[in-house]
Amino acid sequence: MKWRHAFLLFILAALFLLPQLFWGKLYMVGGDDSRLYYLFPKQYLENFSFKVIANNTLGGNMGYFPVSYSAPILAIATVVQYIFPWLHIQFFMYGIILMLGFLFMHLLLQELIPSFSVIGYISSIIAALYYVFSPFILKTFMQHQLIAIFMLMVLPGCLYFFVKGMKKRSYKYILLSSLFYSLCSATLLSIPWFLATVFIFMPLLIFVVFQYKDFLWKASIVLFISLFLLNFYWVIHHIIPIVYPTGEMSVASTNSTLQAKMANNDLIEALTHLNSPVYQIIGTVRTSWSDREGPTLAQSIGVIYLFVILLAGTRIHLVSSSLYKYYCVSLSGLLFAMLFFTPNFGEWNLHLFQFLNNYVPLFGMFRNTYDKFALAMAFHYSFVLYISLIVLEKTKTKALFKYIGLLIVVSVMFFTAYPYLFPKFNDHEYSTRITGSLNKEFFQLTGFLKSNPTSSRYVWFPMTYPGYVYIKEDGVSNHYYSGLSPLQVLSGSSDIAGFYGIQTSVDPELNTKVAKLFKAKEFDAIGRILQKQNIGYVIVNNDTLPEKALIFLDAYSFMSNQNEEYKKFILGEKLKDFGARYSLYRINPKYDTNTVFLTTVIGEYPVPDNSIHFKKIRSGLFEISIPAITKSTKLVMMEPYNHLWKLQLLGKNTKINTRIENTMVYGFGNAWNIDPIALKVQYPGYVVKANDGSYSMRLQIQFMPDLITKPAVIVSIVSFIIVLILLCITR
Amino acid sequence: MMRLFKEIAIIVLLFLLGTLLSLWWYKEVYITAIQEQQSETIPASFTKEPLVKGKTLYFAITAKHNNLGVLKLRPKTYNRINYDTIYFRLREKGKDTWEINNSYVVDRFEDKLFYPFGFPIIPNSKGRIYEIEITSEKGTPTDSVGFYGGYNSIATQYIYSRETIAINNKLLTSFLYEKLSSLMNDLYFILFYVIFLIPIILYVLTKYIKNDFLFYFIEIVIFLYMLFVYIFIPMAMDSSVIIYILTIGFFIFVSHLFHFFEKYFSIYRFSPSWLYGLSAMLVVYLLINIGFNKVLESTRIALAIFYTTLLALALSFFELVVKQKKRT
């Protein structure tokens, strides 16, 4: 048995070291989730993760929405960075993911169908390696490297603990499953991948229900309660809008519009042209429209897996009923996964997918089919491959043939995975791989913004189409960070970086309007839109971009349309230069409005009376002092509208909630009607009447759900400690 | 007499069912349209090479009916996604200006299957000669489509409105006659249609052929014929066709061929293993077709593999239940 442990340890070490040794020294960052959390995890926790409104978006707008679900991963990265400051955190994490993904898959397979023979053991190793090295994973998860990449280890890990818990009837493993999922999955961010996989797991789940029905419901209760408590810190912020409807468009409702469904249907149909059914059969995937060549013979060697599976099918009647059942269940899962991986097995398949998109709430999240169902495909291919190898092992086949068969499968696996495991980078061309140092001017800029006493927001010039910022690296030519704006993370400042950052939850089409306005050179209208989004400053990025980068960032000429004319128009007073790279300006004074102001009339755009004093204490909390008003007036606050913003009157050491409801103004902000006379009558101790007949008062505007953030975190931490104690004391 | 009547009734019923299924799953033409295979009045300049910028595909056809509304050609994708744009132009012979001038992005063209170039219906098209010209906007040898020539490479469709046919009995009769004759003139449709007459053939065979070897040989030929038509006939058909073929094939194997093997070779066992085996063989055949860049055939084989495996799996579950019952 010793050689098995040594062999396993060798593979684990190899997988762990693979990214560190062969993927270079640079960080792979940028894109839709920035991946900067590997570089600045502590700053993420400090300036971003626990904000629930206004400061909870990178380079754009979002209403009330918690973004703390990745906090456990960030906390782990922070600790690792603190202990090993020299370590490449991203590749360290990827090494862990590959290693644990393999290990848990191997353990899960052994747990489900124990095989003590040498060939059985090797088969399990091969199948688990296939799981992490399959083209379905390498061409999706390992390419976009979104935070959902953690699902690669979380899925088999959770399943392993859960299955072990069921078999041993032990709550300890059920709790472990829950804990592992809560800590390492980035929960909500990985939900589309997780749900897609669970959906495909239906055959296996039904099988498990029948096999362990007496213990299953008890285990499920423990699992769901522990999951709820461990994730309470973000779950609570999704419960609040259900209990107190907030008047905002939810993610679900935004994605359920007829337009969104139609766009999804178009995309789903288009993807059936990208991947013909041949791809599922030969065990690979085409993920890009620029990958123009159809399946070739070299790509088709992946068909060996299905061939082995079918070969096992011809001998399946010779094995035990138990193994036969597992074969059927796993093969059902694989065929089921194939149907959803790309719905190209006939018109009915496409129509079924589109039907589910149209009528099942949130099913639209699976619209880029192959990406969301990649994990399920890899898992089931691996699962059924293992069972097939065991079937072939148990039937009368000469040992020599068995070993040759295994060798062929391993060779094919490494042949197809090789370009991804040992990638070649052309660092002389435009690259988004960076050292992490960005450039010193950018850090000067963020340092300045951090100390800038303002609650106004920043807009970039030029804004890019995907809503990314581009930051050139010092010392390395052609290397850029190109992804979501890290301004909020590094300076705590909210900004708008591009087309997709302009839209609001109230008006998802606002970005399209702005793009049209740019084209028509209607700069005044753009200025008004920026004014309504509380923009007070413009950051001018003077860096130029290579042609290759512009293809994406300047799509639909969104960047080019922001010409010198617009620049002259939108800029106000220059505040500071940061080297030759960045310049900070106030916005054109015509569009410069305070975050909080009084106004007598709510018109098309703000006409502020800036006589009041206010201070943003923190995200979700403002203090305001109104020195003198004589008549009913509107108090406006230009933070995303939500009816859970509450207006409170401040006394010397007390505060009291007013019953004044806020309304939405300018399609973005909040307004309260302040009637000083009525307030004086209702709250005499809080409103002061001066000799000249004017009234003064101190107010506080607070986003009420923010109050629950800290207690919710405490609930989750306490739950975490309780789970740890239970794990220690439970046998 | 009663027995004969019953047999005739069964045959008629199978015939009607087969005809209905064949028309339902035949996706080339709408119910109110007539499709004609078209020979060229002026030969088409088809080439094996892609239609690159500067090259022109030119030909002329004589319309066979009124209401010409679609011209179909078989694109050649060279097993790749192409991003070229092609220009389709059509005019009546003798006219100076092109009456139809459309552009098409070719990225979703399917290899070998007819691509319909649609245009406003030409009411009095019968007997007139139309010139067609197809050019490429920016095609290069590695990024453009071509078009298959040879038999059944050009088709035209004549479209009638449902309302017009419904109110005019004479028109309806002539439409039905033309439609039927156009279908019967299409060899691909006939080959396809025969698949749906196979239940009748099998029914008759069981009655009249007593020679085991001949009977089983014909059954194997029938099954191979069905697979052949499904894989090789470049015709738009419903995906249910493969399920139908496998069902008929399964019926043949389970009810007849396996008994043959049992009788003469003692190796029959009711088991889905046979279907898994068939799937595995199709996998090998898929590789051969991919090797030869046969795009449509590869896709059809992939579908056949999927549905064969699905059927095998369904039988596996059935076999498991039977085993379970035997044990209890």
Side-chain angles (χ1 to χ4, degrees):
Chain A
M1 294 297 276
K2 272 184 185 171
W3 74 266
R4 292 189 180 190
H5 291 136
F7 185 50
L8 188 64
L9 277 175
F10 169 74
I11 295 175
L12 291 174
L15 287 171
F16 174 65
L17 292 172
L18 181 82
Q20 301 272 1
L21 295 179
F22 298 103
W23 295 6
K25 304 277 177 220
L26 302 176
Y27 279 83
M28 299 169 174
V29 291
D32 284 346
D33 83 345
S34 84
R35 290 177 278 175
L36 287 174
Y37 36 78
Y38 297 116
L39 280 163
F40 309 109
K42 188 165 166 258
Q43 289 87 333
Y44 259 81
L45 286 172
E46 283 172 354
N47 296 327
F48 177 66
S49 285
F50 293 99
K51 308 284 189 290
V52 290
I53 195 158
N55 295 82
N56 58 347
T57 320
L58 300 185
N61 293 312
M62 193 157 56
Y64 172 31
F65 198 82
V67 285
S68 50
Y69 24 77
S70 51
I73 291 175
L74 292 170
I76 294 167
T78 307
V79 171
V80 174
Q81 196 180 49
Y82 180 75
I83 300 170
F84 309 107
W86 41 266
L87 196 69
H88 193 303
I89 306 290
Q90 187 179 29
F91 291 166
F92 170 82
M93 290 291 201
Y94 289 175
I96 296 277
I97 290 167
L98 286 174
M99 183 179 77
L100 292 186
F102 159 78
L103 178 67
F104 283 128
M105 192 68 200
H106 167 66
L107 293 175
L108 174 67
L109 293 174
Q110 288 288 330
E111 189 64 40
L112 285 169
I113 306 134
S115 179
F116 304 104
S117 68
V118 175
I119 287 183
Y121 184 77
I122 294 174
S123 301
S124 163
I125 297 276
I126 289 172
L129 275 175
Y130 174 79
Y131 169 68
V132 289
F133 288 166
S134 82
F136 304 113
I137 296 299
L138 294 174
K139 288 187 168 189
T140 56
F141 282 71
M142 286 295 175
Q143 291 303 300
H144 56 59
Q145 297 173 1
L146 297 173
I147 203 164
I149 197 171
F150 283 85
M151 284 306 295
L152 192 56
M153 67 171 186
V154 170
L155 176 76
C158 290
L159 270 175
Y160 166 67
F161 290 131
F162 191 76
V163 168
K164 189 152 183 147
M166 299 295 284
K167 284 179 100 170
K168 287 184 176 278
R169 294 172 174 274
S170 159
Y171 293 112
K172 181 178 174 175
Y173 289 101
I174 306 296
L175 284 174
L176 259 175
S177 176
S178 163
L179 188 63
F180 191 50
Y181 178 74
S182 305
L183 285 183
C184 300
S185 71
T187 48
L188 197 67
L189 276 178
S190 60
I191 276 278
W193 291 268
F194 180 72
L195 287 184
T197 311
V198 169
F199 180 63
I200 298 300
F201 269 39
M202 266 195 292
L204 188 62
L205 290 176
I206 293 166
F207 180 67
V208 168
V209 167
F210 275 104
Q211 206 158 23
Y212 304 104
K213 52 189 161 194
D214 51 337
F215 185 64
L216 186 70
W217 67 271
K218 290 179 198 165
S220 301
I221 289 172
V222 170
L223 183 76
F224 286 117
I225 290 176
S226 58
L227 275 176
F228 178 74
L229 290 173
L230 286 168
N231 293 281
F232 191 71
Y233 64 99
W234 65 266
V235 170
I236 185 65
H237 289 294
H238 288 280
I239 296 173
I240 289 170
I242 298 169
V243 181
Y244 306 100
T246 58
E248 278 191 317
M249 296 269 280
S250 64
V251 178
S253 61
T254 315
N255 288 312
S256 304
T257 60
L258 188 63
Q259 272 179 325
K261 284 176 181 172
M262 280 166 68
N264 289 348
N265 283 338
D266 281 349
L267 177 67
I268 294 160
E269 201 263 335
L271 291 178
T272 61
H273 292 273
L274 183 65
N275 283 299
S276 75
V278 175
Y279 282 91
Q280 281 104 309
I281 299 295
I282 62 173
T284 188
V285 56
R286 175 154 61 179
T287 55
S288 162
W289 289 97
S290 57
D291 179 8
R292 293 178 42 230
E293 293 303 317
T296 60
L297 209 51
Q299 282 179 326
S300 308
I301 55 170
V303 84
I304 191 80
Y305 309 118
L306 188 65
F307 189 74
V308 168
I309 291 163
L310 294 171
L311 218 55
T314 62
R315 322 207 71 175
I316 194 70
H317 55 278
L318 302 172
V319 299
S320 66
S321 269
S322 154
L323 194 56
Y324 197 167
K325 276 182 201 166
Y326 271 112
Y327 179 83
C328 291
V329 168
S330 58
L331 187 58
S332 307
L334 178 64
L335 295 182
F336 200 37
M338 282 183 179
L339 285 176
F340 285 87
F341 184 72
T342 300
N344 50 17
F345 287 96
E347 300 85 5
W348 72 268
N349 191 190
L350 174 63
H351 294 159
L352 171 70
F353 206 110
Q354 290 177 331
F355 173 84
L356 295 171
N357 171 59
N358 291 340
Y359 296 104
V360 176
L362 292 179
F363 199 85
M365 74 170 93
F366 307 132
R367 61 190 176 276
N368 55 347
T369 56
Y370 64 80
D371 182 50
K372 298 298 178 288
F373 290 94
L375 193 62
M377 275 292 273
F379 181 89
H380 281 96
Y381 249 118
S382 161
F383 188 21
V384 72
L385 180 67
Y386 169 67
I387 295 167
S388 302
L389 291 171
I390 295 293
V391 169
L392 292 174
E393 188 233 340
K394 288 191 186 299
T395 53
K396 290 170 191 169
T397 315
K398 281 189 178 176
L400 180 68
F401 292 139
K402 288 176 187 172
Y403 283 111
I404 289 173
L406 290 178
L407 196 66
I408 292 171
V409 171
V410 172
S411 309
V412 167
M413 186 164 66
F414 281 105
F415 178 78
T416 50
Y418 186 84
Y420 300 92
L421 301 183
F422 306 101
K424 284 179 184 158
F425 301 104
N426 189 352
D427 285 333
H428 299 295
E429 286 186 358
Y430 166 70
S431 170
T432 55
R433 297 169 64 248
I434 61 168
T435 60
S437 63
L438 301 175
N439 61 60
K440 67 174 186 299
E441 291 89 345
F442 186 75
F443 285 105
Q444 285 167 4
L445 170 73
T446 52
F448 182 82
L449 299 187
K450 205 168 184 178
S451 59
N452 191 16
T454 180
S455 55
S456 294
R457 300 170 73 204
Y458 301 82
V459 67
W460 286 81
F461 176 87
M463 291 185 275
T464 62
Y465 177 72
Y468 293 175
V469 294
Y470 48 96
I471 305 164
K472 197 170 189 298
E473 275 251 298
D474 260 343
V476 202
S477 63
N478 286 324
H479 285 237
Y480 289 80
Y481 165 76
S482 172
L484 295 181
S485 170
L487 225 56
Q488 177 65 46
V489 172
L490 297 177
S491 69
S493 312
S494 178
D495 61 334
I496 291 180
F499 179 81
Y500 282 106
I502 297 168
Q503 62 186 156
T504 63
S505 54
V506 178
D507 188 358
E509 293 295 313
L510 188 61
N511 50 5
T512 316
K513 285 178 204 161
V514 169
K516 284 178 184 165
L517 290 171
F518 270 125
K519 215 170 180 180
K521 298 190 178 178
E522 303 262 354
F523 300 137
D524 181 56
I526 294 166
R528 289 297 179 200
I529 288 171
L530 295 177
Q531 182 185 20
K532 289 176 193 174
Q533 295 206 8
N534 191 25
I535 300 292
Y537 300 87
V538 183
I539 302 167
V540 176
N541 188 348
N542 297 313
D543 262 333
T544 51
L545 275 169
E547 202 62 32
K548 202 172 172 184
L550 281 171
I551 295 169
F552 183 45
L553 297 181
D554 190 23
Y556 305 104
S557 303
F558 188 72
M559 276 175 83
S560 322
N561 287 338
Q562 296 163 58
N563 51 19
E564 281 301 311
E565 200 184 333
Y566 165 69
K567 188 179 174 185
K568 276 182 195 160
F569 183 87
I570 205 69
L571 296 184
E573 177 200 354
K574 187 180 206 175
L575 295 178
K576 197 171 166 53
D577 280 323
F578 302 91
R581 279 202 164 109
Y582 307 103
S583 305
L584 183 66
Y585 291 79
R586 287 205 71 97
I587 197 168
N588 182 338
K590 191 179 170 188
Y591 311 112
D592 195 359
T593 312
N594 281 340
T595 308
V596 184
F597 58 86
L598 293 176
T599 187
T600 45
V601 189
I602 300 291
E604 197 184 334
Y605 49 84
V607 184
D609 162 7
N610 290 329
S611 62
I612 60 168
H613 307 288
F614 72 95
K615 192 181 176 191
K616 185 174 182 177
I617 307 296
R618 55 179 160 82
S619 173
L621 184 63
F622 286 83
E623 268 189 25
I624 300 138
S625 168
I626 300 177
I629 49 169
T630 52
K631 57 178 182 179
S632 182
T633 186
K634 299 272 183 193
L635 174 69
V636 175
M637 184 197 60
M638 298 303 285
E639 294 267 291
Y641 168 78
N642 192 297
H643 96 115
L644 294 175
W645 283 104
K646 292 295 172 197
L647 187 68
Q648 297 160 327
L649 277 164
L650 295 177
K652 275 187 183 168
N653 295 311
T654 54
K655 60 181 174 184
I656 190 163
N657 279 324
T658 66
R659 288 189 195 133
I660 309 170
E661 288 293 325
N662 57 338
T663 51
M664 188 197 289
V665 288
Y666 312 121
F668 182 77
N670 305 261
W672 290 263
N673 191 33
I674 307 289
D675 182 351
I677 301 158
L679 282 175
K680 178 69 185 167
V681 173
Q682 277 180 299
Y683 313 104
Y686 293 86
V687 180
V688 180
K689 186 177 182 184
N691 292 335
D692 60 357
S694 67
Y695 296 87
S696 65
M697 63 194 87
R698 284 173 61 235
L699 296 155
Q700 180 175 280
I701 302 173
Q702 184 156 31
F703 188 60
M704 299 314 276
D706 200 34
L707 290 173
I708 199 81
T709 302
K710 266 187 188 168
V713 171
I714 291 168
V715 167
S716 290
I717 291 174
V718 170
S719 307
F720 173 68
I721 294 166
I722 292 171
V723 168
L724 281 186
I725 293 168
L726 284 172
L727 287 175
C728 292
I729 60 170
T730 314
R731 283 189 177 181
Chain B
M1 190 64 188
M2 192 61 194
R3 205 176 142 192
L4 183 68
F5 179 74
K6 201 174 149 189
E7 279 177 7
I8 291 170
I10 288 172
I11 289 170
V12 169
L13 201 69
L14 287 174
F15 176 78
L16 287 176
L17 197 67
T19 307
L20 265 178
L21 278 180
S22 68
L23 291 174
W24 188 22
W25 288 341
Y26 176 62
K27 297 290 180 190
E28 280 292 356
V29 61
Y30 284 115
I31 194 85
T32 58
I34 297 167
Q35 178 163 305
E36 295 283 4
Q37 302 310 314
Q38 199 77 45
S39 56
E40 302 118 274
T41 310
I42 298 173
S45 49
F46 288 118
T47 58
K48 280 188 179 175
E49 291 76 37
L51 186 70
V52 294
K53 189 180 178 181
K55 273 193 174 181
T56 303
L57 171 63
Y58 171 80
F59 59 94
I61 49 114
T62 307
K64 294 185 177 177
H65 308 278
N66 287 330
N67 296 336
L68 177 64
V70 176
L71 187 123
K72 288 176 158 187
L73 293 173
R74 295 188 186 279
K76 207 186 275 187
T77 62
Y78 304 95
N79 192 20
R80 65 186 179 218
I81 301 170
N82 299 289
Y83 291 109
D84 188 19
T85 299
I86 56 167
Y87 295 106
F88 172 87
R89 304 202 290 182
L90 180 141
R91 70 179 170 198
E92 194 180 337
K93 200 176 176 210
K95 288 192 177 170
D96 291 336
T97 52
W98 294 97
E99 292 163 52
I100 311 294
N101 213 330
N102 292 337
S103 64
Y104 298 84
V105 180
V106 301
D107 59 347
R108 292 192 190 178
F109 277 25
E110 287 190 65
D111 194 82
K112 224 178 247 183
L113 287 179
F114 269 136
Y115 185 83
F117 295 94
F119 41 85
I121 291 166
I122 306 169
N124 300 311
S125 53
K126 189 173 182 179
R128 294 186 183 178
I129 298 172
Y130 291 94
E131 292 176 290
I132 292 104
E133 194 180 274
I134 297 173
T135 51
S136 153
E137 184 190 60
K138 53 178 194 269
T140 62
T142 53
D143 189 3
S144 59
V145 291
F147 290 94
Y148 285 95
Y151 176 75
N152 210 322
S153 58
I154 304 172
T156 44
Q157 266 190 28
Y158 306 87
I159 299 157
Y160 295 80
S161 79
R162 193 174 292 184
E163 293 76 22
T164 320
I165 302 172
I167 56 168
N168 189 334
N169 280 343
K170 202 176 163 188
L171 189 65
L172 179 66
T173 319
S174 101
F175 171 78
L176 286 176
Y177 173 76
E178 298 292 352
K179 179 142 182 121
L180 192 66
S181 81
S182 77
L183 286 172
M184 288 304 116
N185 282 330
D186 182 352
L187 178 65
Y188 289 170
F189 177 77
I190 293 169
L191 290 171
F192 174 73
Y193 181 48
V194 169
I195 292 181
F196 297 92
L197 300 182
I198 279 170
I200 301 174
I201 298 169
L202 287 175
Y203 182 74
V204 173
L205 283 179
T206 48
K207 298 280 168 199
Y208 299 105
I209 295 188
K210 301 295 172 200
N211 183 320
D212 277 355
F213 278 100
L214 180 63
F215 184 65
Y216 299 129
F217 176 73
I218 293 172
E219 283 195 323
I220 289 174
V221 170
I222 284 174
F223 183 67
L224 291 177
Y225 167 79
M226 290 195 295
L227 272 184
F228 173 86
V229 169
Y230 177 72
I231 292 169
F232 290 106
I233 298 298
M235 197 179 81
M237 58 180 97
D238 196 277
S239 54
S240 312
V241 172
I242 183 63
I243 300 171
Y244 167 83
I245 290 172
L246 289 170
T247 312
I248 298 286
F250 176 71
F251 171 77
I252 291 172
F253 277 88
V254 168
S255 60
H256 298 114
L257 279 177
F258 290 162
H259 292 292
F260 171 76
F261 287 119
E262 185 183 35
K263 194 170 168 184
Y264 294 101
F265 305 106
S266 309
I267 58 168
Y268 163 68
R269 218 189 126 268
F270 168 73
S271 166
S273 307
W274 291 82
L275 279 172
Y276 287 117
L278 175 66
S279 241
M281 280 192 281
L282 285 170
V283 163
V284 178
Y285 192 47
L286 172 70
L287 279 181
I288 295 168
N289 276 274
I290 291 173
F292 283 101
N293 256 346
K294 303 273 186 192
V295 182
L296 180 68
E297 290 81 352
S298 301
T299 307
R300 293 258 166 97
I301 296 167
L303 286 170
I305 291 169
F306 179 84
Y307 286 108
T308 312
T309 312
L310 193 65
L311 190 62
L313 183 67
L315 289 173
S316 288
F317 277 114
F318 181 68
E319 191 176 51
L320 270 174
V321 172
V322 171
K323 271 188 180 179
Q324 194 81 30
K325 274 192 177 170
K326 271 185 188 169
R327 214 174 294 139
T328 52

